[in-house]
Amino acid sequence: MSDTWTNASVDQIGTFRKMTLFQNKDRSFALMSAGNLAITQSVKEILLQGQAFKGRNLWTAKNSYEAAVVVGNAIKQVFERDHAALEKAGLDFNCNMIFGGQVKGEKPRLFNIYSAGNFIESTPETCYFQIGESKYGKPILDRVLNFTTPLNLATKCALISMDSTLKSNISVGLPLDMLVYENNSLKATKLVTLDDANPYFAMIHQSWGERLREAFNSIAETQLEWRSKIQRHLPFPLRKWVLYQSIFPIQKAGG
Amino acid sequence: MSDTWTNASVDQIGTFRKMTLFQNKDRSFALMSAGNLAITQSVKEILLQGQAFKGRNLWTAKNSYEAAVVVGNAIKQVFERDHAALEKAGLDFNCNMIFGGQVKGEKPRLFNIYSAGNFIESTPETCYFQIGESKYGKPILDRVLNFTTPLNLATKCALISMDSTLKSNISVGLPLDMLVYENNSLKATKLVTLDDANPYFAMIHQSWGERLREAFNSIAETQLEWRSKIQRHLPFPLRKWVLYQSIFPIQKAGG
């Protein structure tokens, strides 16, 4: 799933799709991008041109891993071309990509590709990747997702996660592009673009806030033994000023 | 509320209190810090020495605003002393502080103080501040908190917000220091240090995950009209490769 906003600053917000799909009869790949749009568009252009790296491009790569190497190499090409000028402008070479899909005969695979063109692959223990503005939406993923989560629940989780990001960060915006890839389909059979006119996404946007507040209200209110009740434990009487820092014992987390 | 971990890198994690309280009979202030510990400790030291700025320090400031100016000035002093060396080391002068409290005769006030020593004050529209690792914990604050939220609910919300941050970021850790300041008390009557042995925090840590999953399960599963069902809308038949980007109409958010 990807949003469609880019911003150089809050008064320079543009709408660009960040998800690109590549498929033919024996493979289906999705590429999502975050970072500097000038970089990520160039990377995409190189890939769409089918330019070969060591004789392979996205259409001829033997497997998803080779395809990820091809994407990484496209990033390295743009780095060679632009990084010096970006440095002079005081800009980082900022390009992150999520690349996933399936080549016939192989299981679906998912990669997180960095600005250096190197990448990591998801595992059963780490079964999702986020790039770009990832933090607001991460807590719900951490609570709900695992490697055995069914696709329909993972889809709902992605929508709720993105809804939290939309609420907390003004630079992330609709419409959203979402692809649900089904094992061995070798094509994008479940693809949707969501804006606020979409009834299901509107329902989630409306309901999740209410459900969160209900969950919040269902937690018992504070039952804490306030320090003021146990000041007898303080090693010395309160002075004109109090630096509690020096008073409390410190424990390591989990200690 | 503040956590107690600092990290130069994941293998250099230290435990330091980040909340400092200053009070005497006519005032009560709390200062919380984020950023470079060497900077924030120096700022605190200057304030604890009671060094005057324009004849005022935290004990003699006429009101909370003057006190915030005193804190800002302490930051500026450390900047003058250290910023050149930090630059040579390739480090930012990174120092953020939340400063709040009450001086007798004035309402309680809350300030967010920046690395430059300048600051903003909270308002009914923006009734909370976060510094440091703020994003994971922000969604629940955005859903629950407003200017009229009672203190006991705000306390519960702070605990849940911090619990989400603890779960999603390994560099944030227990124990937590929490102060609940009651209007016109002019002292820290509700102060607690929470570690995983605290039954209420342990309950929240346990229950919130369950409640979130219950909320998640209560949301209807995906009812989306997948694009594959409406490919008749595509302006041209699927080719060997498909760049959906060029196919879908683009709408501005809220469009």
Side-chain angles (χ1 to χ4, degrees):
Chain A
M1 165 177 282
S2 55
D3 86 315
T4 50
W5 280 27
T6 64
N7 62 308
S9 67
V10 288
D11 59 355
Q12 278 188 44
I13 289 181
T15 302
F16 295 89
R17 309 316 268 263
K18 299 173 189 172
M19 183 188 293
T20 309
L21 306 188
F22 305 82
Q23 67 184 36
N24 64 12
K25 59 186 184 320
D26 74 345
R27 66 196 56 214
S28 180
F29 297 129
L31 180 70
M32 289 177 289
S33 60
N36 181 314
L37 185 68
I39 296 170
T40 57
Q41 282 190 341
S42 291
V43 170
K44 203 174 63 195
E45 182 65 22
I46 288 170
L47 296 170
L48 290 171
Q49 286 167 5
Q51 202 180 105
F53 170 67
K54 297 191 174 170
R56 305 287 179 197
N57 63 26
L58 293 184
W59 316 116
T60 60
K62 281 187 183 146
N63 52 49
S64 303
Y65 182 89
E66 270 195 8
V69 171
V70 168
V71 175
N73 183 65
I75 295 173
K76 291 169 186 169
Q77 281 185 52
V78 178
F79 179 85
E80 285 313 315
R81 187 190 73 190
D82 290 349
H83 79 96
L86 285 168
E87 267 169 36
K88 284 180 195 154
L91 297 171
D92 292 336
F93 185 87
N94 179 9
C95 167
N96 289 288
M97 297 191 156
I98 290 176
F99 178 73
Q102 185 176 26
V103 174
K104 193 173 186 176
E106 192 189 34
K107 69 180 193 336
R109 298 172 73 172
L110 184 68
F111 302 90
N112 183 352
I113 307 181
Y114 302 112
S115 295
N118 59 337
F119 53 83
I120 59 173
E121 182 173 6
S122 65
T123 66
E125 301 71 35
T126 301
C127 62
Y128 71 85
F129 289 132
Q130 297 172 286
I131 55 176
E133 183 54 273
S134 59
K135 293 185 177 184
Y136 302 112
K138 189 171 188 290
I140 184 65
L141 301 178
D142 288 336
R143 302 283 189 179
V144 170
L145 279 189
N146 62 55
F147 191 66
T148 65
T149 305
L151 266 184
N152 57 341
L153 295 187
T155 303
K156 182 171 73 168
C157 190
L159 288 166
I160 290 171
S161 172
M162 188 64 88
D163 182 59
S164 298
T165 306
L166 289 167
K167 180 154 180 68
S168 291
N169 186 323
I170 195 170
S171 76
V172 176
L174 300 172
L176 308 174
D177 291 325
M178 180 163 64
L179 165 68
V180 175
Y181 178 76
E182 295 175 302
N183 191 11
N184 297 327
S185 65
L186 297 179
K187 55 173 129 49
T189 54
K190 290 187 164 184
L191 185 70
V192 65
T193 298
L194 300 160
D195 58 31
D196 53 8
N198 179 285
Y200 183 67
F201 186 67
M203 180 278 286
I204 285 199
H205 183 68
Q206 170 69 18
S207 309
W208 183 244
E210 291 166 8
R211 294 295 201 290
L212 262 189
R213 281 183 287 273
E214 287 164 17
F216 177 79
N217 294 331
S218 75
I219 302 262
E221 286 183 23
T222 312
Q223 304 140 354
L224 289 167
E225 191 189 1
W226 298 107
R227 180 78 50 175
S228 58
K229 295 181 190 154
I230 53 170
Q231 273 180 3
R232 64 182 180 282
H233 293 310
L234 300 184
F236 54 81
L238 297 179
R239 302 246 177 81
K240 176 190 171 193
W241 59 262
V242 183
L243 172 57
Y244 282 87
Q245 187 148 10
S246 63
I247 293 175
F248 298 155
I250 289 178
Q251 303 180 43
K252 283 277 177 193
Chain B
M1 165 177 283
S2 56
D3 86 316
T4 52
W5 279 26
T6 65
N7 63 307
S9 69
V10 288
D11 60 354
Q12 279 189 43
I13 289 181
T15 302
F16 294 90
R17 310 315 269 261
K18 298 173 188 171
M19 183 189 293
T20 309
L21 306 188
F22 305 83
Q23 67 185 37
N24 64 13
K25 59 186 184 319
D26 73 343
R27 66 195 57 214
S28 180
F29 298 127
L31 180 71
M32 290 178 288
S33 60
N36 181 313
L37 185 67
I39 296 169
T40 57
Q41 282 191 339
S42 291
V43 170
K44 203 174 62 195
E45 182 66 22
I46 289 170
L47 296 171
L48 290 172
Q49 286 168 4
Q51 200 180 106
F53 170 66
K54 296 191 176 169
R56 304 287 177 195
N57 63 25
L58 293 185
W59 316 116
T60 59
K62 281 188 185 145
N63 51 51
S64 303
Y65 182 89
E66 269 194 10
V69 171
V70 167
V71 175
N73 182 65
I75 295 173
K76 291 170 188 170
Q77 281 185 53
V78 177
F79 180 85
E80 285 314 315
R81 187 190 73 190
D82 290 349
H83 79 96
L86 286 167
E87 267 170 35
K88 283 180 195 155
L91 297 170
D92 293 334
F93 185 87
N94 178 8
C95 168
N96 289 289
M97 297 192 156
I98 290 175
F99 178 73
Q102 185 176 25
V103 173
K104 193 171 186 178
E106 193 189 34
K107 69 180 192 338
R109 299 172 72 172
L110 183 69
F111 302 90
N112 184 352
I113 307 181
Y114 302 111
S115 295
N118 58 336
F119 53 84
I120 59 173
E121 182 173 6
S122 64
T123 65
E125 300 71 36
T126 302
C127 62
Y128 71 85
F129 289 132
Q130 297 172 288
I131 56 177
E133 183 55 272
S134 61
K135 292 185 178 184
Y136 301 114
K138 189 171 187 291
I140 185 64
L141 300 178
D142 288 336
R143 302 284 190 179
V144 169
L145 280 189
N146 62 55
F147 191 66
T148 64
T149 305
L151 265 184
N152 58 340
L153 296 186
T155 303
K156 183 170 74 167
C157 190
L159 287 165
I160 291 171
S161 172
M162 187 65 88
D163 182 59
S164 298
T165 305
L166 289 165
K167 180 150 179 71
S168 291
N169 186 324
I170 194 170
S171 75
V172 176
L174 299 172
L176 308 174
D177 292 325
M178 180 164 63
L179 164 68
V180 176
Y181 178 76
E182 295 174 302
N183 191 10
N184 296 327
S185 65
L186 297 179
K187 54 173 133 46
T189 54
K190 290 186 163 184
L191 184 70
V192 65
T193 298
L194 300 161
D195 58 31
D196 54 9
N198 180 285
Y200 183 67
F201 186 66
M203 180 279 286
I204 284 200
H205 183 67
Q206 171 69 18
S207 308
W208 183 244
E210 291 165 9
R211 295 294 201 288
L212 262 189
R213 281 183 287 273
E214 287 164 16
F216 177 79
N217 293 332
S218 74
I219 301 263
E221 286 182 23
T222 313
Q223 304 140 354
L224 289 167
E225 191 189 1
W226 298 107
R227 180 78 52 175
S228 58
K229 296 182 190 152
I230 52 171
Q231 274 180 2
R232 65 183 179 280
H233 293 310
L234 300 184
F236 54 82
L238 297 180
R239 302 246 175 80
K240 178 189 173 195
W241 59 264
V242 182
L243 172 58
Y244 283 86
Q245 187 148 10
S246 64
I247 294 175
F248 297 155
I250 290 178
Q251 303 179 43
K252 283 276 176 193

